[in-house]
Coordinates of all heavy atoms in Angstrom, one line a residue:
F3 N -10.1 -14.9 3.5 CA -11.0 -15.5 2.6 C -11.4 -14.6 1.5 O -11.6 -14.9 0.4 CB -12.3 -16.1 3.4 CG -13.0 -15.1 4.0 CD1 -14.2 -14.6 3.4 CD2 -12.8 -14.6 5.2 CE1 -15.0 -13.5 4.0 CE2 -13.6 -13.6 5.9 CZ -14.7 -13.2 5.2
L4 N -11.6 -13.2 1.8 CA -12.1 -12.3 0.8 C -10.9 -11.9 -0.1 O -11.1 -11.8 -1.3 CB -12.7 -11.0 1.6 CG -13.3 -10.1 0.5 CD1 -14.5 -10.7 -0.3 CD2 -13.9 -8.8 1.2
E5 N -9.8 -11.8 0.5 CA -8.6 -11.4 -0.3 C -8.3 -12.5 -1.4 O -8.1 -12.3 -2.5 CB -7.4 -11.1 0.5 CG -7.6 -9.9 1.4 CD -6.4 -9.8 2.6 OE1 -6.0 -10.8 3.0 OE2 -6.2 -8.7 3.0
E6 N -8.4 -13.7 -0.9 CA -8.2 -15.0 -1.8 C -9.3 -14.9 -2.8 O -8.9 -15.1 -4.1 CB -8.3 -16.1 -1.0 CG -7.0 -16.5 -0.1 CD -7.3 -17.7 0.7 OE1 -8.3 -18.4 0.7 OE2 -6.3 -18.0 1.6
R7 N -10.5 -14.6 -2.6 CA -11.5 -14.6 -3.6 C -11.2 -13.5 -4.6 O -11.5 -13.7 -5.8 CB -12.8 -14.4 -2.9 CG -14.0 -14.6 -3.9 CD -14.0 -16.1 -4.6 NE -15.1 -16.2 -5.4 CZ -16.3 -16.7 -5.1 NH1 -16.5 -17.1 -3.8 NH2 -17.3 -16.8 -5.9
I8 N -10.8 -12.3 -4.1 CA -10.6 -11.2 -5.0 C -9.4 -11.6 -5.9 O -9.5 -11.4 -7.2 CB -10.2 -9.8 -4.2 CG1 -11.4 -9.5 -3.4 CG2 -9.7 -8.8 -5.2 CD1 -11.2 -8.3 -2.5
I9 N -8.4 -12.2 -5.5 CA -7.2 -12.6 -6.3 C -7.7 -13.7 -7.3 O -7.4 -13.6 -8.4 CB -6.1 -13.3 -5.5 CG1 -5.4 -12.3 -4.5 CG2 -5.1 -14.0 -6.3 CD1 -4.7 -11.1 -5.2
K10 N -8.7 -14.6 -6.9 CA -9.2 -15.7 -7.8 C -10.2 -15.1 -9.0 O -9.9 -15.3 -10.1 CB -9.9 -16.7 -7.1 CG -10.4 -17.8 -7.8 CD -10.8 -19.0 -6.8 CE -11.7 -20.0 -7.5 NZ -13.2 -19.6 -7.5
D11 N -11.1 -14.2 -8.5 CA -12.1 -13.8 -9.4 C -12.2 -12.3 -9.7 O -13.1 -11.9 -10.5 CB -13.5 -14.3 -8.9 CG -13.6 -15.8 -8.8 OD1 -13.0 -16.4 -9.8 OD2 -14.3 -16.3 -8.0
G12 N -11.5 -11.4 -9.1 CA -11.6 -10.0 -9.2 C -10.9 -9.6 -10.5 O -10.0 -10.3 -10.9
I13 N -11.4 -8.5 -11.1 CA -10.7 -8.0 -12.4 C -10.4 -6.6 -12.3 O -11.3 -5.8 -11.8 CB -11.7 -8.4 -13.6 CG1 -11.9 -9.8 -13.7 CG2 -10.9 -7.7 -14.9 CD1 -13.0 -10.1 -14.7
V14 N -9.1 -6.3 -12.5 CA -8.8 -4.8 -12.4 C -9.1 -4.2 -13.7 O -8.6 -4.6 -14.8 CB -7.3 -4.7 -12.0 CG1 -6.9 -3.3 -11.8 CG2 -6.9 -5.6 -10.8
K15 N -9.8 -3.0 -13.6 CA -10.2 -2.3 -14.7 C -9.5 -0.9 -14.8 O -9.0 -0.5 -13.8 CB -11.7 -1.9 -14.8 CG -12.5 -3.2 -14.8 CD -12.6 -3.7 -16.3 CE -13.6 -4.7 -16.7 NZ -13.5 -5.3 -17.9
E16 N -9.3 -0.3 -15.9 CA -8.8 1.1 -16.1 C -9.7 1.9 -15.3 O -10.9 1.7 -15.0 CB -8.8 1.5 -17.4 CG -7.9 0.7 -18.5 CD -6.4 0.9 -18.1 OE1 -6.1 1.8 -17.4 OE2 -5.6 0.1 -18.6
G17 N -9.1 2.9 -14.7 CA -9.9 4.0 -14.0 C -10.0 3.6 -12.4 O -11.0 4.0 -11.7
N18 N -9.2 2.8 -11.9 CA -9.2 2.4 -10.6 C -10.4 1.6 -10.1 O -10.9 1.8 -9.0 CB -8.9 3.6 -9.6 CG -7.6 4.0 -9.6 OD1 -6.7 3.4 -9.8 ND2 -7.4 5.4 -9.3
I19 N -10.9 0.8 -11.1 CA -12.2 0.1 -10.8 C -11.8 -1.4 -10.5 O -11.0 -1.9 -11.5 CB -13.3 0.2 -11.9 CG1 -13.7 1.6 -12.1 CG2 -14.3 -0.8 -11.7 CD1 -14.7 2.0 -11.0
L20 N -12.2 -1.9 -9.4 CA -12.1 -3.4 -9.2 C -13.4 -4.0 -9.6 O -14.4 -3.6 -8.9 CB -11.6 -3.7 -7.8 CG -11.4 -5.1 -7.4 CD1 -10.3 -5.8 -8.3 CD2 -11.0 -5.2 -5.9
K21 N -13.4 -4.9 -10.5 CA -14.7 -5.5 -10.8 C -14.8 -6.9 -10.1 O -14.0 -7.7 -10.1 CB -14.7 -5.9 -12.4 CG -16.1 -5.7 -13.0 CD -16.0 -5.6 -14.5 CE -17.3 -5.8 -15.0 NZ -18.4 -5.6 -15.2
V22 N -15.9 -7.0 -9.3 CA -16.0 -8.2 -8.5 C -17.5 -8.7 -8.7 O -18.1 -9.3 -7.8 CB -15.8 -7.9 -7.0 CG1 -14.3 -7.7 -6.7 CG2 -16.6 -6.7 -6.5
D23 N -18.1 -8.5 -10.0 CA -19.4 -8.7 -10.0 C -19.9 -10.3 -10.2 O -20.9 -10.6 -10.3 CB -20.0 -8.0 -11.3 CG -19.3 -8.4 -12.6 OD1 -18.3 -9.2 -12.6 OD2 -19.7 -7.9 -13.7
S24 N -18.8 -11.1 -10.3 CA -19.1 -12.5 -10.2 C -19.3 -13.1 -8.8 O -19.9 -14.2 -8.9 CB -18.0 -13.4 -10.9 OG -16.9 -13.3 -10.1
F25 N -19.1 -12.4 -7.9 CA -19.4 -12.8 -6.5 C -19.9 -11.8 -5.5 O -20.3 -12.2 -4.3 CB -18.1 -13.6 -5.9 CG -17.0 -12.7 -5.8 CD1 -16.5 -12.1 -4.6 CD2 -16.1 -12.4 -6.9 CE1 -15.5 -11.3 -4.4 CE2 -15.0 -11.7 -6.7 CZ -14.7 -11.0 -5.5
L26 N -19.8 -10.6 -5.8 CA -20.1 -9.6 -4.7 C -21.2 -8.6 -5.1 O -22.1 -8.5 -4.3 CB -18.8 -8.7 -4.4 CG -18.8 -8.0 -3.0 CD1 -18.5 -9.0 -1.9 CD2 -17.8 -6.9 -3.0
N27 N -21.2 -8.1 -6.3 CA -22.3 -7.0 -6.5 C -23.1 -7.1 -7.8 O -23.6 -6.1 -8.3 CB -21.7 -5.6 -6.4 CG -20.5 -5.4 -7.2 OD1 -20.3 -6.1 -8.2 ND2 -19.7 -4.4 -6.9
H28 N -23.1 -8.4 -8.3 CA -24.1 -8.6 -9.4 C -24.5 -10.0 -9.2 O -25.6 -10.2 -8.6 CB -23.4 -8.5 -10.8 CG -24.4 -8.5 -11.9 ND1 -24.1 -8.0 -13.2 CD2 -25.7 -8.8 -12.1 CE1 -25.2 -8.0 -14.0 NE2 -26.1 -8.6 -13.2
Q29 N -23.8 -11.1 -9.5 CA -24.0 -12.3 -9.0 C -23.4 -12.3 -7.5 O -22.3 -11.8 -7.3 CB -23.3 -13.5 -9.7 CG -23.4 -14.9 -9.2 CD -22.9 -15.9 -10.2 OE1 -23.7 -16.5 -10.8 NE2 -21.6 -16.0 -10.3
M30 N -24.2 -12.9 -6.5 CA -23.7 -12.8 -5.2 C -23.5 -14.2 -4.5 O -24.4 -15.1 -4.7 CB -24.8 -12.0 -4.4 CG -25.0 -10.6 -4.9 SD -26.2 -9.7 -3.9 CE -27.8 -10.4 -4.5
D31 N -22.3 -14.4 -3.9 CA -22.0 -15.7 -3.3 C -22.4 -15.5 -1.8 O -21.7 -14.9 -1.1 CB -20.5 -15.9 -3.3 CG -20.0 -17.3 -2.9 OD1 -20.8 -17.7 -1.9 OD2 -19.0 -17.8 -3.3
I32 N -23.6 -16.2 -1.5 CA -24.1 -16.1 -0.2 C -23.3 -16.7 0.9 O -23.2 -16.3 2.0 CB -25.6 -16.7 -0.2 CG1 -26.4 -15.8 -1.3 CG2 -26.3 -16.5 1.2 CD1 -26.4 -14.4 -1.1
G33 N -22.6 -17.9 0.5 CA -21.7 -18.5 1.4 C -20.5 -17.5 1.9 O -20.2 -17.3 3.0
L34 N -20.1 -16.7 0.8 CA -19.1 -15.7 1.1 C -19.6 -14.6 2.0 O -19.0 -14.2 2.9 CB -18.6 -15.1 -0.2 CG -17.4 -14.0 0.0 CD1 -16.1 -14.8 0.1 CD2 -17.4 -13.2 -1.4
F35 N -20.8 -14.2 1.7 CA -21.5 -13.1 2.6 C -21.6 -13.6 4.0 O -21.5 -12.8 4.9 CB -22.9 -12.8 2.0 CG -22.9 -11.8 0.6 CD1 -21.7 -11.8 -0.1 CD2 -24.0 -11.2 0.3 CE1 -21.7 -11.0 -1.3 CE2 -24.0 -10.5 -0.9 CZ -22.8 -10.4 -1.6
N36 N -22.0 -14.8 4.2 CA -22.0 -15.3 5.5 C -20.7 -15.3 6.2 O -20.6 -15.0 7.4 CB -22.5 -16.9 5.4 CG -24.1 -16.9 5.7 OD1 -24.5 -16.4 6.8 ND2 -24.7 -17.5 4.8
E37 N -19.6 -15.5 5.5 CA -18.3 -15.5 6.1 C -18.0 -14.0 6.5 O -17.5 -13.8 7.5 CB -17.2 -16.0 5.2 CG -17.1 -17.6 5.2 CD -15.9 -17.9 4.3 OE1 -14.7 -18.0 4.9 OE2 -16.0 -18.1 3.1
M38 N -18.4 -13.2 5.6 CA -18.2 -11.8 5.9 C -19.0 -11.4 7.1 O -18.5 -10.6 8.0 CB -18.6 -11.0 4.6 CG -17.7 -11.0 3.5 SD -18.4 -10.4 1.9 CE -19.0 -8.8 2.3
G39 N -20.3 -11.8 7.2 CA -21.1 -11.4 8.3 C -20.5 -12.0 9.7 O -20.6 -11.2 10.7
A40 N -20.0 -13.2 9.6 CA -19.4 -13.8 10.8 C -18.2 -12.9 11.2 O -17.9 -12.7 12.5 CB -19.1 -15.1 10.5
E41 N -17.4 -12.5 10.3 CA -16.2 -11.7 10.5 C -16.5 -10.4 11.1 O -16.0 -9.8 12.1 CB -15.3 -11.6 9.3 CG -13.9 -10.9 9.5 CD -13.0 -11.5 10.5 OE1 -13.2 -12.6 10.8 OE2 -12.2 -10.6 10.9
F42 N -17.6 -9.7 10.6 CA -17.9 -8.4 11.1 C -18.6 -8.5 12.6 O -18.2 -7.8 13.4 CB -19.1 -7.7 10.2 CG -18.5 -7.1 9.0 CD1 -19.2 -7.3 7.7 CD2 -17.4 -6.2 9.0 CE1 -18.7 -6.7 6.5 CE2 -17.0 -5.6 7.8 CZ -17.6 -5.9 6.5
A43 N -19.3 -9.7 12.8 CA -19.7 -9.8 14.1 C -18.6 -10.0 15.0 O -18.7 -9.5 16.2 CB -20.7 -11.1 14.1
R44 N -17.5 -10.7 14.7 CA -16.4 -10.8 15.5 C -15.7 -9.5 15.8 O -15.4 -9.2 16.9 CB -15.4 -11.8 14.9 CG -14.2 -12.4 15.7 CD -13.3 -13.2 14.9 NE -12.5 -12.5 14.0 CZ -11.5 -11.6 14.2 NH1 -11.2 -11.6 15.5 NH2 -10.8 -11.1 13.3
R45 N -15.6 -8.6 14.7 CA -14.9 -7.5 14.9 C -15.7 -6.4 15.6 O -15.1 -5.5 16.2 CB -14.5 -6.9 13.4 CG -13.5 -7.7 12.8 CD -13.0 -7.0 11.6 NE -12.2 -7.9 10.7 CZ -11.4 -7.3 9.7 NH1 -11.3 -6.1 9.5 NH2 -10.7 -8.3 8.9
F46 N -17.0 -6.4 15.6 CA -17.9 -5.5 16.2 C -18.5 -6.1 17.5 O -19.6 -5.5 17.9 CB -18.9 -4.9 15.3 CG -18.3 -4.1 14.2 CD1 -18.3 -4.5 12.9 CD2 -17.7 -2.8 14.4 CE1 -17.8 -3.8 11.8 CE2 -17.1 -2.1 13.4 CZ -17.1 -2.5 12.1
D47 N -18.0 -7.1 18.0 CA -18.6 -7.8 19.2 C -18.8 -6.9 20.3 O -17.9 -6.0 20.5 CB -17.7 -9.0 19.5 CG -18.3 -9.8 20.6 OD1 -19.5 -9.9 20.6 OD2 -17.6 -10.4 21.5
G48 N -20.0 -7.0 20.9 CA -20.1 -6.3 22.2 C -20.7 -4.8 22.0 O -21.1 -4.1 23.0
L49 N -20.8 -4.4 20.8 CA -21.5 -3.1 20.6 C -23.0 -3.1 20.6 O -23.5 -4.2 20.0 CB -20.9 -2.5 19.3 CG -19.4 -2.2 19.2 CD1 -19.0 -1.7 17.9 CD2 -19.0 -1.2 20.3
P50 N -23.7 -2.2 20.9 CA -25.2 -2.3 21.1 C -25.8 -2.0 19.7 O -26.8 -1.2 19.6 CB -25.5 -1.3 22.1 CG -24.5 -0.2 21.9 CD -23.2 -0.9 21.5
I51 N -25.4 -2.7 18.6 CA -25.9 -2.4 17.3 C -27.5 -3.0 17.3 O -27.6 -4.1 17.4 CB -25.0 -3.1 16.3 CG1 -23.7 -2.5 16.3 CG2 -25.7 -3.1 14.9 CD1 -22.5 -3.1 15.6
N52 N -28.3 -2.0 16.9 CA -29.7 -2.6 16.7 C -30.2 -2.3 15.3 O -31.4 -2.5 14.9 CB -30.6 -1.8 17.8 CG -30.8 -0.3 17.4 OD1 -29.9 0.3 16.7 ND2 -32.0 0.2 17.7
K53 N -29.4 -1.8 14.4 CA -29.9 -1.5 13.0 C -28.6 -1.5 12.0 O -27.6 -1.1 12.4 CB -30.6 -0.2 13.0 CG -31.4 0.1 11.8 CD -32.5 1.1 12.0 CE -33.7 0.6 12.8 NZ -34.7 1.7 12.9
I54 N -29.0 -1.9 10.8 CA -27.9 -1.8 9.8 C -28.4 -0.7 8.7 O -29.5 -0.8 8.3 CB -27.5 -3.1 9.2 CG1 -26.8 -4.0 10.3 CG2 -26.6 -3.0 8.0 CD1 -26.4 -5.4 9.9
L55 N -27.5 0.2 8.3 CA -27.9 1.1 7.3 C -26.9 0.9 6.2 O -25.6 0.9 6.4 CB -27.7 2.5 7.8 CG -28.0 3.7 6.9 CD1 -29.5 3.6 6.4 CD2 -27.8 5.0 7.6
T56 N -27.4 0.9 4.9 CA -26.6 0.8 3.7 C -27.2 1.6 2.7 O -28.1 2.4 3.0 CB -26.5 -0.7 3.3 OG1 -25.5 -0.8 2.3 CG2 -27.8 -1.3 2.9
I57 N -26.6 1.5 1.5 CA -27.1 2.4 0.4 C -27.4 1.5 -0.8 O -26.6 0.7 -1.1 CB -26.1 3.6 0.2 CG1 -26.5 4.4 -1.0 CG2 -24.6 3.0 -0.2 CD1 -25.7 5.8 -1.0
E58 N -28.4 1.9 -1.7 CA -28.7 0.9 -2.8 C -27.7 1.3 -3.9 O -27.2 2.4 -3.9 CB -30.1 1.2 -3.3 CG -30.4 2.6 -3.9 CD -31.9 2.6 -4.5 OE1 -32.5 1.5 -4.6 OE2 -32.3 3.7 -4.8
A59 N -27.3 0.3 -4.7 CA -27.9 -1.0 -4.8 C -27.0 -2.0 -4.1 O -27.6 -2.9 -3.3 CB -28.3 -1.4 -6.2
S60 N -25.7 -1.9 -4.3 CA -24.9 -3.1 -4.1 C -24.6 -3.4 -2.5 O -24.2 -4.5 -2.3 CB -23.6 -3.0 -4.8 OG -23.2 -1.8 -5.1
G61 N -25.0 -2.4 -1.7 CA -24.7 -2.7 -0.3 C -25.9 -3.5 0.3 O -25.7 -4.2 1.3
I62 N -27.0 -3.7 -0.4 CA -28.1 -4.3 0.2 C -28.0 -5.8 0.5 O -28.3 -6.3 1.5 CB -29.5 -4.0 -0.6 CG1 -29.7 -2.5 -0.8 CG2 -30.6 -4.7 0.0 CD1 -30.9 -2.2 -1.7
G63 N -27.6 -6.5 -0.5 CA -27.4 -8.0 -0.3 C -26.5 -8.2 0.8 O -26.8 -9.1 1.7
I64 N -25.4 -7.5 0.8 CA -24.4 -7.9 1.9 C -25.0 -7.5 3.2 O -24.9 -8.3 4.2 CB -23.1 -7.1 1.7 CG1 -22.4 -7.4 0.3 CG2 -22.1 -7.2 2.8 CD1 -21.3 -6.4 -0.1
A65 N -25.6 -6.3 3.3 CA -26.2 -5.9 4.6 C -27.2 -7.0 5.1 O -27.3 -7.2 6.4 CB -26.9 -4.6 4.5
C66 N -28.0 -7.5 4.3 CA -29.1 -8.5 4.7 C -28.5 -9.7 5.3 O -29.0 -10.2 6.4 CB -30.0 -8.9 3.5 SG -31.0 -7.5 3.0
I67 N -27.4 -10.2 4.7 CA -26.7 -11.4 5.3 C -26.0 -11.0 6.6 O -26.1 -11.8 7.6 CB -25.8 -12.0 4.3 CG1 -26.6 -12.4 3.0 CG2 -25.1 -13.3 4.8 CD1 -27.7 -13.5 3.1
V68 N -25.3 -9.9 6.6 CA -24.6 -9.5 7.8 C -25.6 -9.3 8.9 O -25.3 -9.7 10.1 CB -23.9 -8.1 7.6 CG1 -23.4 -7.6 8.9 CG2 -22.9 -8.3 6.5
A69 N -26.8 -8.8 8.7 CA -27.8 -8.6 9.8 C -28.1 -9.9 10.5 O -28.4 -9.9 11.7 CB -29.1 -8.0 9.2
E70 N -28.1 -11.0 9.8 CA -28.3 -12.3 10.4 C -27.4 -12.7 11.5 O -27.7 -13.4 12.5 CB -28.4 -13.4 9.4 CG -29.5 -13.3 8.4 CD -29.7 -14.6 7.5 OE1 -28.7 -15.1 7.0 OE2 -30.8 -15.0 7.4
H71 N -26.1 -12.1 11.4 CA -25.1 -12.3 12.4 C -25.1 -11.3 13.5 O -24.3 -11.4 14.4 CB -23.7 -12.2 11.6 CG -23.6 -13.4 10.7 ND1 -22.8 -14.6 11.0 CD2 -24.0 -13.5 9.4 CE1 -22.9 -15.4 10.0 NE2 -23.6 -14.9 8.9
F72 N -26.1 -10.4 13.4 CA -26.2 -9.5 14.6 C -27.6 -9.5 15.0 O -28.3 -8.6 15.3 CB -26.0 -7.9 14.0 CG -24.5 -7.6 13.8 CD1 -23.9 -8.1 12.6 CD2 -23.8 -7.0 14.8 CE1 -22.6 -7.7 12.4 CE2 -22.5 -6.7 14.5 CZ -21.9 -7.1 13.3
G73 N -28.1 -10.8 15.1 CA -29.4 -11.1 15.8 C -30.5 -10.7 15.0 O -31.6 -10.3 15.5
N74 N -30.4 -10.8 13.6 CA -31.6 -10.3 12.7 C -32.1 -8.9 13.0 O -33.2 -8.7 12.8 CB -32.7 -11.3 12.9 CG -32.3 -12.7 12.2 OD1 -31.6 -12.8 11.2 ND2 -32.8 -13.6 12.9
V75 N -31.1 -8.0 13.2 CA -31.6 -6.6 13.3 C -32.1 -6.1 11.9 O -31.7 -6.7 10.8 CB -30.4 -5.7 13.7 CG1 -30.0 -6.0 15.1 CG2 -29.2 -5.7 12.8
P76 N -33.0 -5.1 11.8 CA -33.5 -4.5 10.7 C -32.4 -3.9 9.8 O -31.5 -3.3 10.3 CB -34.5 -3.6 11.0 CG -34.6 -3.5 12.5 CD -33.6 -4.3 13.1
V77 N -32.6 -4.0 8.5 CA -31.7 -3.4 7.5 C -32.5 -2.3 6.8 O -33.6 -2.4 6.3 CB -31.2 -4.3 6.4 CG1 -30.3 -3.6 5.4 CG2 -30.4 -5.4 7.0
V78 N -31.9 -1.0 6.9 CA -32.6 0.1 6.2 C -31.5 0.4 5.0 O -30.4 0.5 5.3 CB -32.6 1.2 7.1 CG1 -33.2 2.5 6.3 CG2 -33.6 0.9 8.2
F79 N -32.1 0.7 3.8 CA -31.1 1.2 2.8 C -31.5 2.5 2.3 O -32.7 2.9 2.2 CB -30.9 0.3 1.6 CG -32.3 -0.1 0.8 CD1 -32.5 0.8 -0.2 CD2 -33.1 -1.1 1.2 CE1 -33.6 0.5 -1.1 CE2 -34.2 -1.2 0.5 CZ -34.6 -0.4 -0.7
A80 N -30.4 3.4 2.2 CA -30.8 4.8 1.6 C -31.1 4.6 0.2 O -30.4 3.9 -0.5 CB -29.5 5.6 1.8
K81 N -32.2 5.3 -0.2 CA -32.6 5.2 -1.6 C -32.1 6.3 -2.4 O -32.2 7.5 -2.0 CB -34.2 5.2 -1.7 CG -34.8 4.0 -1.0 CD -36.4 4.1 -1.3 CE -37.1 2.8 -0.8 NZ -38.1 2.6 -1.7
K82 N -31.8 6.1 -3.7 CA -31.5 7.1 -4.6 C -32.7 7.7 -5.1 O -33.6 7.0 -5.6 CB -30.6 6.5 -5.7 CG -29.1 6.2 -5.1 CD -28.3 5.5 -6.0 CE -27.0 5.1 -5.3 NZ -26.2 3.9 -6.0
S83 N -32.9 8.9 -5.1 CA -34.1 9.7 -5.4 C -33.9 10.7 -6.5 O -32.9 11.4 -6.3 CB -34.7 10.1 -4.1 OG -35.7 11.3 -4.6
Q84 N -34.7 10.8 -7.5 CA -34.6 11.9 -8.5 C -34.8 13.2 -7.9 O -34.3 14.2 -8.1 CB -35.5 11.6 -9.6 CG -35.3 10.3 -10.4 CD -33.9 10.2 -11.1 OE1 -33.2 11.2 -11.3 NE2 -33.5 9.0 -11.4
S85 N -36.1 13.2 -7.1 CA -36.5 14.6 -6.7 C -36.1 14.8 -5.3 O -35.8 14.0 -4.5 CB -38.1 14.5 -6.7 OG -38.5 13.4 -5.8
V86 N -36.0 16.1 -5.0 CA -35.6 16.5 -3.7 C -36.9 16.7 -2.9 O -37.8 17.3 -3.2 CB -34.9 18.0 -3.7 CG1 -34.6 18.4 -2.3 CG2 -33.8 18.0 -4.7
N87 N -37.0 15.9 -1.7 CA -38.1 15.7 -1.1 C -38.1 16.8 0.1 O -37.2 16.9 0.9 CB -38.2 14.3 -0.3 CG -39.6 14.2 0.4 OD1 -39.8 14.9 1.3 ND2 -40.3 13.3 0.0
L88 N -39.2 17.7 0.0 CA -39.1 18.8 0.9 C -40.1 18.8 2.0 O -40.4 19.7 2.7 CB -39.3 20.2 0.2 CG -38.2 20.5 -0.8 CD1 -38.4 21.7 -1.6 CD2 -36.8 20.8 -0.1
D89 N -40.8 17.6 2.0 CA -42.0 17.6 3.1 C -41.6 17.2 4.5 O -42.5 17.0 5.4 CB -43.0 16.6 2.6 CG -42.5 15.1 2.5 OD1 -41.5 14.9 3.0 OD2 -43.3 14.3 2.0
G90 N -40.4 17.1 4.7 CA -40.0 16.9 6.1 C -40.0 15.5 6.5 O -39.5 15.3 7.7
E91 N -40.4 14.6 5.8 CA -40.6 13.1 6.3 C -39.3 12.3 6.0 O -39.2 11.2 6.4 CB -41.6 12.4 5.4 CG -43.1 13.1 5.5 CD -43.6 13.1 7.1 OE1 -43.5 12.0 7.6 OE2 -43.8 14.2 7.6
M92 N -38.3 12.9 5.3 CA -37.1 12.1 4.9 C -35.8 12.8 5.4 O -35.8 14.0 5.3 CB -37.0 12.1 3.4 CG -38.3 11.5 2.7 SD -38.1 9.7 2.7 CE -39.6 9.3 1.9
Y93 N -34.9 12.1 5.8 CA -33.6 12.6 5.9 C -33.0 12.5 4.4 O -33.2 11.6 3.7 CB -32.6 11.7 6.8 CG -33.3 11.5 8.1 CD1 -33.7 10.3 8.6 CD2 -33.4 12.5 9.1 CE1 -34.2 10.0 9.8 CE2 -33.9 12.3 10.3 CZ -34.3 11.1 10.7 OH -34.9 10.9 11.9
M94 N -32.1 13.5 4.1 CA -31.6 13.5 2.7 C -30.1 13.9 2.8 O -29.7 14.6 3.6 CB -32.3 14.5 1.9 CG -32.3 14.3 0.5 SD -32.7 15.7 -0.4 CE -31.0 16.5 -0.5
A95 N -29.3 13.4 1.8 CA -28.0 13.7 1.6 C -27.6 13.6 0.1 O -28.2 12.9 -0.6 CB -27.0 12.8 2.5

Side-chain angles (χ1 to χ4, degrees):
F3 64 96
L4 183 60
E5 294 166 335
E6 279 173 8
R7 188 61 180 271
I8 292 167
I9 293 293
K10 182 168 164 276
D11 291 327
I13 298 166
V14 184
K15 296 283 196 191
E16 295 291 346
N18 285 336
I19 297 282
L20 177 61
K21 215 166 163 73
V22 288
D23 61 354
S24 65
F25 60 98
L26 201 77
N27 55 19
H28 192 165
Q29 176 168 257
M30 298 182 283
D31 182 332
I32 301 306
L34 183 81
F35 285 15
N36 261 307
E37 280 188 86
M38 289 165 48
E41 181 58 20
F42 283 134
R44 193 183 68 76
R45 294 192 190 195
F46 294 111
D47 186 33
L49 297 176
I51 291 161
N52 72 329
K53 196 162 281 185
I54 291 181
L55 178 65
T56 186
I57 182 165
E58 73 172 345
S60 26
I62 298 173
I64 299 169
C66 290
I67 303 295
V68 170
E70 295 190 311
H71 294 264
F72 286 83
N74 291 322
V75 295
V77 174
V78 177
F79 64 94
K81 291 184 172 214
K82 291 171 183 161
S83 155
Q84 301 294 347
S85 58
V86 183
N87 185 298
L88 295 173
D89 65 6
E91 299 298 309
M92 303 279 176
Y93 305 115
M94 206 200 83

